[in-house]
Amino acid sequence: MKIAVLAGDGIGPEIIAQALRVLEVLKEEGMPMQFVHAPLGGQAYDQYGHPYPEFTQKICRDADAVLLGAVGGPQYDNLDRPLRPERGLLAIRKDLGLFANLRPAVLYPELANASTLKPEVVSGLDIMIVRELTGDVYFGQPRGMRTNEHGEREGFNTMVYAESEVRRIAHVAFDIAMKRGKKLCSVDKANVLETTEFWKEIVIDVAKEYPEVELNHMYVDNAAMQLIRNPKQFDVMVTGNIFGDILSDEASMLTGSIGMLASASLNETKKGLYEPSHGSAPDIAGKNLANPIATVLSTAMMLRYTFDNEAAAARIENAVKKVLAAGYRTGDIFEAGMRRVSCSEMGDQIVAAM
Ligand code: NAD
């Protein structure tokens, strides 16, 4: 299990250090893991003059999985666009062909008060949003701005999905549903957009290979509403790039705690990039205050989706649950009556619970 470790900027090194301690527990027990460190983002710009340098490219291409902290910081905001840390992220996603973005929105009952929604609506929430990441109106050609035949300026984009693109993301979503509650909701706007009418047709065809999964379809406007009204009706949701962009952010905010949310982006060989959903949090960097749980949970996703090791993934997730149940909280999820811990102390507790 060759894992490229890209700590990145801001709180990246602090949260990655705790995630690695958790993986070290498994390694010491005999899991054959190898960690190879490389820079990405601002850190890479400082060392190599580029946010995704060749040195890092080689290591990531050669690895089975990539574990990433976060990139970015105010000191890099005035760089030319192609040199900015966030460009490193776009470059690595493209380089590794990561077309499937997995964004879980999980709300542990102990943290139900962190949400802006009523605790009974969100407590115990566990949704997985599968977003197609490399197609749709974000990449379709032609695109641009022009003057039309009436002499008026206009902007235009093209919404397009090829059958192979829909099939492969549908397979990812059905496979994930099989590993979870066996319910899949495909989100479209088939009443208005032919691209998504086509999407729906292909998803229905792929469903024949997964008779155990209960498939339903929902228009995106209704899905946005249902996520707020009754989010616990969902298990796995699959959708295109633009709808997924919006719905995954909406779903993550149901939980109200950005320091808890993991994510994964997979390619066709199940190689994956695993990272917390949050950024580099420059305001708390270097202070040992960050919540490492999103990154720790990203390692659980890595074990489940790239290395097919459900038992190890569940062990990490259960350790996190235990620590929360025991009342340990970093500052971002702290409530009166709980035990406030630093980033490294949270790591201590998770390792002990393992
Ligand atoms: P952010 O997610 O870094 O921070 C938003 C707020 O949440 C801050 O108050 C921060 O302190 C807090 N926060 C985030 N993660 C936390 C954690 N683990 N524990 C405790 N508190 C946490 O978003 P931002 O402030 O908009 O962006 C900061 C930098 O991160 C920017 O340079 C941005 O471009 C970059 N960014 C990177 C990624 C990525 O690497 N994937 C994603 C988003 C933003």
Side-chain angles (χ1 to χ4, degrees):
M1 298 163 64
K2 204 183 258 186
I3 301 164
V5 180
L6 316 179
D9 309 317
I11 58 170
E14 300 164 54
I15 52 181
I16 284 288
Q18 303 314 315
L20 288 180
R21 290 178 63 199
V22 170
L23 290 178
E24 284 288 346
V25 172
L26 301 172
K27 187 176 174 183
E28 275 165 25
E29 290 173 359
M31 201 179 273
M33 269 188 267
Q34 188 192 346
F35 304 116
V36 191
H37 295 261
L40 185 82
Q43 182 200 25
Y45 172 78
D46 291 339
Q47 281 179 40
Y48 291 93
H50 194 277
Y52 184 44
E54 240 171 72
F55 175 80
T56 305
Q57 291 172 25
K58 280 203 190 100
I59 287 174
C60 292
R61 287 177 195 154
D62 190 40
D64 301 309
V66 180
L67 179 63
L68 168 67
V71 300
Q75 67 273 44
Y76 304 110
D77 283 352
N78 295 323
L79 288 176
D80 286 347
R81 276 187 189 281
L83 297 178
R84 290 200 193 155
E86 294 76 8
R87 284 297 174 101
L89 266 185
L90 296 180
I92 190 173
R93 286 178 185 151
K94 182 156 185 252
D95 187 32
L96 302 181
L98 306 172
F99 70 92
N101 185 219
L102 279 44
R103 289 269 298 266
V106 178
L107 184 57
Y108 299 97
E110 294 86 359
L111 299 182
N113 287 330
S115 176
T116 51
L117 272 71
K118 290 184 190 134
E120 65 268 25
V121 175
V122 288
S123 177
L125 179 82
D126 184 356
I127 305 175
M128 174 70 82
I129 300 200
V130 179
R131 165 189 172 194
E132 202 288 332
L133 205 55
T134 54
D136 206 350
V137 68
Y138 287 180
F139 293 93
Q141 294 288 348
R143 61 191 292 161
M145 294 177 206
R146 64 189 169 196
T147 302
N148 67 19
E149 66 266 31
H150 309 294
E152 189 181 6
R153 290 187 69 224
E154 64 184 15
F156 62 103
N157 291 86
T158 303
M159 181 178 252
V160 56
Y161 263 121
E163 182 171 340
S164 57
E165 291 178 301
V166 184
R167 278 192 188 278
R168 67 179 184 178
I169 193 75
H171 277 289
V172 169
F174 278 106
D175 286 340
I176 289 173
M178 286 296 290
K179 290 183 179 179
R180 295 174 41 109
K182 299 198 170 118
K183 269 175 65 184
L184 178 63
C185 176
S186 171
V187 177
D188 60 56
K189 189 72 185 170
N191 51 342
V192 179
L193 298 168
E194 285 80 357
T195 311
T196 72
E197 189 183 340
F198 177 71
W199 168 286
K200 183 174 176 180
E201 191 182 296
I202 302 301
V203 171
I204 289 172
D205 193 50
V206 174
K208 293 177 192 152
E209 295 172 49
Y210 300 86
E212 284 179 58
V213 177
E214 181 194 321
L215 172 68
N216 75 317
H217 305 271
M218 201 176 271
Y219 295 143
V220 64
D221 42 348
N222 188 24
M225 220 158 56
Q226 294 299 330
L227 272 174
I228 301 292
R229 196 183 73 82
N230 176 19
K232 283 192 266 184
Q233 70 185 283
F234 297 111
D235 174 20
V236 182
M237 301 175 89
V238 62
T239 190
N241 203 345
I242 188 167
F243 297 162
D245 190 358
I246 299 162
L247 294 181
S248 61
D249 268 16
E250 184 189 1
S252 70
M253 278 303 107
L254 296 175
T255 73
S257 39
I258 195 169
M260 301 288 302
L261 297 169
S263 84
S265 305
L266 305 178
N267 75 5
E268 266 167 296
T269 64
K270 282 197 180 169
K271 179 167 175 159
L273 172 78
Y274 297 87
E275 56 179 328
S277 294
H278 58 73
S280 58
D283 50 331
I284 55 167
K287 297 180 179 162
N288 198 18
L289 291 175
N291 186 346
I293 292 180
T295 318
V296 168
L297 292 174
S298 299
T299 69
M301 290 188 83
M302 180 170 82
L303 289 162
R304 177 173 292 123
Y305 294 114
T306 291
F307 298 117
D308 251 321
N309 192 333
E310 177 57 34
R315 194 164 152 214
I316 293 175
E317 288 164 352
N318 286 331
V320 168
K321 279 183 201 157
K322 238 181 176 172
V323 168
L324 292 173
Y328 294 101
R329 303 281 189 275
T330 43
D332 57 314
I333 51 173
F334 183 76
E335 279 180 78
M338 299 292 142
R339 304 187 214 188
R340 190 190 287 266
V341 290
S342 65
C343 179
S344 55
E345 285 166 345
M346 183 57 97
D348 295 342
Q349 292 303 328
I350 298 170
V351 166
M354 290 273 294

